[in-house]
Amino acid sequence: MSDSEDETPDKKLKIVVMGDAASGKTSLCTRYSQEQFNKQYGQTVGLDFYLKRITLPGNVNVTLQVWDVGGQTLGGKMLDNYIYGSQAIMLVYDITNYSSFENLEDWFQAIRKVCPDPRSPHMALVGNKLDLEHMRTVKQEKHQRFAQEHGMSSHFVSAKSGDSVNLTFQKVAAEILGIKLTKPEVEQQQRVLKAEIIKYPVDAPVKPLPKQTRSTLCVIQ
């Protein structure tokens, strides 16, 4: 028997990323699949598709099919097709935009019309733009309450910095397959950004500001 025959085939999981426009869904998907972040906003029209291959504990190989659904599809005819057959749905909102959080109820109800079984697909609530914590308008208590009331797992990420992005997808995939992540495995997926601290000597010379010449002209507008 060849080595290729000994290898177990990849498990395939369909994860649909949904939520309001400008909540950072595409940035989240590209950060996860390509380790990139585009500073310029571009609206997703319809659907974008990403693939990511990961290995979970126990050498379980998984191919994630990540479907990035445009925010304008809520109430559209294609939404049912996008949701159908998914193992997980991530509802993403912007923690600095309260309306994007309020609209999650509409997204959730649209999903339940297609998938009435509360056990499937796995539902994940994702608060994005954690790098803008100082501008937060959605309190963590509201986030946690929504997640509990709707039977969702709870996550906070920053697509811009990459903070907890890999960990969130890893946790969702592991939850679907019934695999428990150990504490070291969780810590390995967490990305902590450290700011560089520059120390200047106390007696560093201070450069004087250049002298500005005053004009003797008076301008009347």
Side-chain angles (χ1 to χ4, degrees):
M1 185 178 291
S2 65
D3 292 340
S4 60
E5 290 176 335
D6 289 337
E7 294 180 359
T8 57
D10 285 13
K11 296 181 181 298
K12 293 181 175 60
L13 299 178
K14 176 182 176 181
I15 299 179
V16 181
V17 181
M18 306 171 68
D20 276 10
S23 58
K25 301 183 300 298
T26 299
S27 296
L28 176 63
C29 294
T30 53
R31 168 61 73 184
Y32 179 61
S33 61
Q34 304 169 12
E35 281 294 323
Q36 294 180 353
F37 179 79
N38 189 351
K39 293 182 179 180
Q40 293 183 339
Y41 171 67
Q43 187 179 31
T44 300
V45 179
L47 175 73
D48 280 338
F49 185 80
Y50 304 85
L51 285 175
K52 177 85 170 185
R53 191 172 188 263
I54 63 174
T55 301
L56 292 176
N59 290 324
V60 179
N61 295 321
V62 184
T63 297
L64 300 182
Q65 301 175 349
V66 182
W67 296 46
D68 173 20
V69 177
Q72 78 286 351
T73 57
L74 181 61
K77 295 179 180 179
M78 293 300 295
L79 189 62
D80 294 4
N81 295 333
Y82 297 154
I83 297 171
Y84 181 79
S86 59
Q87 281 76 38
I89 295 177
M90 291 184 177
L91 277 184
V92 181
Y93 74 95
D94 175 357
I95 66 170
T96 71
N97 183 346
Y98 195 81
S99 65
S100 71
F101 177 77
E102 285 185 313
N103 293 336
L104 290 178
E105 185 64 39
D106 293 334
W107 285 99
F108 186 85
Q109 294 305 325
I111 294 166
R112 280 290 167 248
K113 287 181 180 179
V114 184
C115 309
D117 186 352
R119 297 168 297 178
S120 179
H122 174 84
M123 299 290 295
L125 178 62
V126 182
N128 188 28
K129 305 189 182 181
L130 197 57
D131 53 293
L132 300 177
E133 176 68 30
H134 59 290
M135 298 172 61
R136 174 191 285 274
T137 59
V138 182
K139 293 183 178 180
Q140 290 194 26
E141 293 79 6
K142 283 185 173 292
H143 171 106
Q144 300 296 355
R145 189 181 307 120
F146 187 93
Q148 291 174 1
E149 291 176 351
H150 295 76
M152 307 173 71
S153 59
S154 170
H155 312 271
F156 289 102
V157 302
S158 168
K160 183 176 182 179
S161 69
D163 187 12
S164 295
V165 171
N166 286 348
L167 177 61
T168 295
F169 280 91
Q170 194 94 344
K171 279 184 172 182
V172 169
E175 181 73 22
I176 296 169
L177 298 173
I179 297 173
K180 290 186 177 181
L181 298 178
T182 64
K183 187 176 180 180
E185 288 162 344
V186 170
E187 292 175 347
Q188 184 180 2
Q189 293 298 328
Q190 283 180 320
R191 179 176 177 178
V192 180
L193 299 180
K194 295 183 179 179
E196 182 182 0
I197 300 176
I198 302 175
K199 293 184 178 181
Y200 293 98
V202 177
D203 56 350
V206 179
K207 292 183 179 181
L209 295 174
K211 292 183 179 180
Q212 295 180 347
T213 57
R214 294 185 178 181
S215 174
T216 57
L217 297 176
C218 180
V219 180
I220 300 177
Q221 294 182 343

